[in-house]
Structure formats: structure tokens, C-alpha cells
Amino acid sequence: MPSPARRWWHPLLRWTWRSLAALFVVLATLWGTLALWYQLPGPVALVVTVMTGWALLGLAAVAATLGVFDARRRPRAIPWAWLAASMVLLLWWQTITPHGDLDWADDMAHLPRAEIEGDRVTIYNVRHFDWQTRERYTQRWETRTYDLSELESTDLLVSYWMGPAIAHTLVSFGFRDGRQLVFSVEIRRQRGEAFSAIGGFFKQFELALIAADEHDIVRTRSNVREEEVYLYRVALPEAAARQLFLAYLDEADALRDTPAFYNTLTSNCTTLVFDMVKRIIPGLPGDYRLLLSGYLPDYLFDLDALDTSRSLLELKSRGHINSRARAADNGGHALPDFSAAIRQGVPAPDGHLIDTGTPNE
């Protein structure tokens, strides 16, 4: 006769196992439903029909796993049918590969390409659009030459477009002649396509790395899209800044030769930059703020990578560029000193103010 402990312990283990198995089936079914919605080709009616069939099979598998059916008539084939369908779904998912030759939106049409001779770097396809509205703009793709021996600053720009935790991050390199070059990791939108954070988990977008003038890529966020943009001067050693600049160009080459998918969580505007910096400065700690990129300045402040002679609150106040960016507009066109104007009053890592300006707020 089984002991009292065995009488309650075995049913508990069986219930726990079934609950965990059912939870796995629920999550996998939800993932498969979204994967089919975002990637299955064909008419909407066909996609919805396949999604519905998959979801109903998943619900039946959950019910069978939990023992909802009568034990004597439990359709044991249902979980196995769901498992077989899952294998087919995964095999199909692996066939979805990124492309580099689609009908891209105008501002994503070209990726940068560089020729390097010693300190002299020639970059093709530097974007320098003149944005009047989101839909109306003048296109310019330029070839520019930079001298890496004159690279003197590295700045982080954080543009908030969906609450305090979610932001787009850009890195701007400054040269002794006053020019700034910005690198931005973005989704490579096709013509007419719009960003979807959920779609970014399901291979909806290829990955792009854009090299652009601040008049283009910063001004469009602060003045045209009216996002809240903050600028921080980063204390990155000269040699590390040079390596990071070149790492961006290597990444652009890799994406041009071997397209990759954007992923909202693992391959985005912050995680890719962190991966590059980590190769240059080993030992950087991982942190949740690398995923919640709106808090990235807090992470850099804790690493003493910003001006720590001031509070982070003051750095944020002085780094808020929107009013200065709007003041630097001239009838919808940025003034020649746009980059200098948005840096007025922003502390450098050594604690000095740029042009001894005052906060814009």
C-alpha cells in the first residue's frame, strides 16, 4: 500500500509537469501565430486561415496536456500532431533569410562604404537629406573624406519617441575642423513600410547602418519628428574612439556583403554598439539599461563615461537640444553652425562647458 507521502507527492509532480508542458505549448503557439502573421506569404484570408488552424491545434494540445479530456478517451495523438506541426513551422522559419536588394525607402537606399589609406578615410554614401516634413525632403548622398588624426570627440545622442525607457541611440564623431559624422543602426525600411516593435521580433526588417550629417539625422528627429533629443559628451580615449569609428565602417561592410535581420531585443541600435565597444574596451558589464535604451545615459554615468563633476540631472538638462535645434533652423533649413549650436552649454567630459553657454531649459 503506498505511503501517505507518495499518495500526494506523485500527483503533485504530475500536475507540475503537465502545467509546465502546457505553458510551453501556449508560448510556442503564440510565437508561431505571430510568426505566421508577419512572415507567411499570400492573401490575408489564407494567412488568417493558417493562423487559426495553428492556434486551434495549440489549444487542443494544451487541453490534452492538462488532461481536460476524459482519461479513457484522451486523444493522445493531438500533442504529437502539434509537435510535428511545430517542426514544420521551425523548418519554414529557417528558410526566411534577409535580403539586400529590396525596394528600400529613399533614406535607406544606400549603406556607407569606406576606403582607408592610413589616417585618411573616404566614405561614400554619407546621407545629407534636407527634411521639410517626414514625407517631403531633398535627397543628397555625398562622398566625404576624414582625417582620423583629427578625430577629437565622441558624443551620444538619445532620441525619445516612446516613453522614458525606449529611445533611439546615435553616436556622433567630431573632427578638429568642426565637422560631425553620425552613425546610426536602424531598421532598413522598404518603401511604404512602417516600424513595428513586435514585427522586429519576427524578421520583419533588415538591419541598416547609416552614416549621416547631423543636419540630417539629428535635425529630423528634433525638429521634424519632434522627438525629445539629448546630447552627451562621452569620455572615450582617443585610441578607442578611432577603433570605434573603424568598427562602424567594418559593420557597414559586413551588412552590405551579408544582410542581417534587425531584432527588437538582441540586434538593435544599442546592443550592436555595445558589442563593438565591448571588443574595444573588454570587461564592460552587462546591464538592463542596454535593453531599455532610454536609460543608457544613466549606465554611462555610472561608468564615469560622462562629466561626473555634475549631476546626471544637470547633464540631462544641459543636453536637451530641442530648443537650440529649432533656433538653428532657417525657414526649415539648418544653419551652417547647426552642430555647434546644439552643443551650446553641454559639458565636455573634462567638466568644461562648450562655448560657456547656458542650459536650454
Side-chain angles (χ1 to χ4, degrees):
M1 182 175 181
S3 66
R6 187 176 180 182
R7 282 200 299 271
W8 67 265
W9 183 249
H10 280 195
L12 178 62
L13 286 177
R14 186 163 54 249
W15 179 85
T16 302
W17 181 88
R18 285 184 176 177
S19 298
L20 291 174
L23 178 61
F24 171 78
V25 173
V26 168
L27 295 176
T29 300
L30 177 60
W31 177 88
T33 301
L34 290 170
L36 290 166
W37 173 251
Y38 282 104
Q39 290 297 337
L40 187 66
V44 173
L46 174 62
V47 173
V48 171
T49 300
V50 174
M51 287 172 55
T52 302
W54 163 255
L56 290 175
L57 179 60
L59 289 175
V62 170
T65 302
L66 291 175
V68 172
F69 300 106
D70 185 278
R72 291 169 298 178
R73 293 177 295 178
R74 185 180 304 153
R76 300 179 183 277
I78 290 180
W80 290 107
W82 177 86
L83 187 60
S86 298
M87 296 298 102
V88 173
L89 185 67
L90 287 174
L91 289 173
W92 163 73
W93 184 253
Q94 295 303 316
T95 66
I96 303 171
T97 55
H99 297 277
D101 56 353
L102 302 176
D103 182 20
W104 305 115
D106 290 337
D107 57 331
M108 295 290 153
H110 305 289
L111 300 181
R113 179 176 64 84
E115 293 179 355
I116 303 172
E117 298 180 6
D119 288 337
R120 181 184 176 89
V121 179
T122 300
I123 303 178
Y124 302 90
N125 300 325
V126 175
R127 202 181 76 193
H128 190 192
F129 281 29
D130 192 3
W131 298 86
Q132 288 83 51
T133 68
R134 289 172 180 260
E135 294 78 26
R136 187 162 53 88
Y137 46 82
T138 302
Q139 296 189 49
R140 283 194 298 267
W141 295 94
E142 300 177 348
T143 299
R144 296 186 177 185
T145 300
Y146 298 91
D147 186 343
L148 290 180
S149 67
E150 296 187 354
L151 178 60
E152 63 177 10
S153 67
T154 307
D155 299 337
L156 173 74
L157 290 126
V158 185
S159 184
Y160 293 84
W161 55 275
M162 194 176 69
I166 306 300
H168 183 72
T169 58
L170 310 94
V171 175
S172 182
F173 293 92
F175 292 82
R176 206 165 296 145
D177 59 7
R179 291 186 299 164
Q180 297 281 151
L181 181 68
V182 183
F183 289 106
S184 176
V185 175
E186 306 189 9
I187 64 167
R188 196 173 191 187
R189 292 176 293 103
Q190 296 180 56
R191 195 173 303 278
E193 195 172 35
F195 176 72
S196 165
I198 297 176
F201 287 104
F202 294 95
K203 298 184 178 181
Q204 186 178 9
F205 308 108
E206 277 79 7
L207 195 63
L209 195 153
I210 299 297
D213 191 282
E214 284 190 340
H215 154 267
D216 171 334
I217 205 164
V218 176
R219 179 179 162 274
T220 187
R221 294 180 177 276
S222 60
N223 295 25
V224 178
R225 302 183 194 176
E226 297 184 343
E227 299 174 5
E228 299 298 325
V229 183
Y230 294 78
L231 188 147
Y232 301 89
R233 314 300 302 272
V234 181
L236 193 63
E238 181 180 332
R242 179 189 179 106
Q243 290 180 63
L244 181 59
F245 188 95
L246 294 174
Y248 268 111
L249 298 178
D250 288 342
E251 188 69 28
D253 283 342
L255 287 175
R256 194 176 54 255
D257 296 340
T258 308
F261 281 119
Y262 174 94
N263 185 282
T264 302
L265 186 65
T266 61
S267 184
N268 56 48
C269 62
T270 302
T271 58
L272 260 68
V273 178
F274 178 72
D275 289 342
M276 288 188 284
V277 174
K278 191 168 60 175
R279 292 195 293 268
I280 297 168
I281 307 176
L284 287 178
D287 195 281
Y288 75 93
R289 291 169 290 190
L290 296 168
L291 301 178
L292 301 178
S293 52
Y295 302 124
L296 185 61
D298 307 54
Y299 172 75
L300 294 177
F301 188 81
D302 289 345
L303 292 178
D304 296 333
L306 306 178
D307 175 19
T308 54
S309 69
R310 293 174 170 81
S311 69
L312 182 59
L313 184 62
E314 181 181 353
L315 293 182
K316 289 181 178 179
S317 176
R318 291 183 176 275
H320 189 208
I321 72 166
N322 287 64
S323 62
R324 297 191 295 270
R326 286 191 293 268
D329 253 7
N330 178 25
H333 303 277
L335 297 173
D337 58 352
F338 178 82
S339 293
I342 64 176
R343 286 172 172 75
Q344 285 285 336
V346 180
D350 61 4
H352 293 94
L353 297 181
I354 303 301
D355 291 339
T356 65
T358 55
N360 64 309
E361 297 295 334

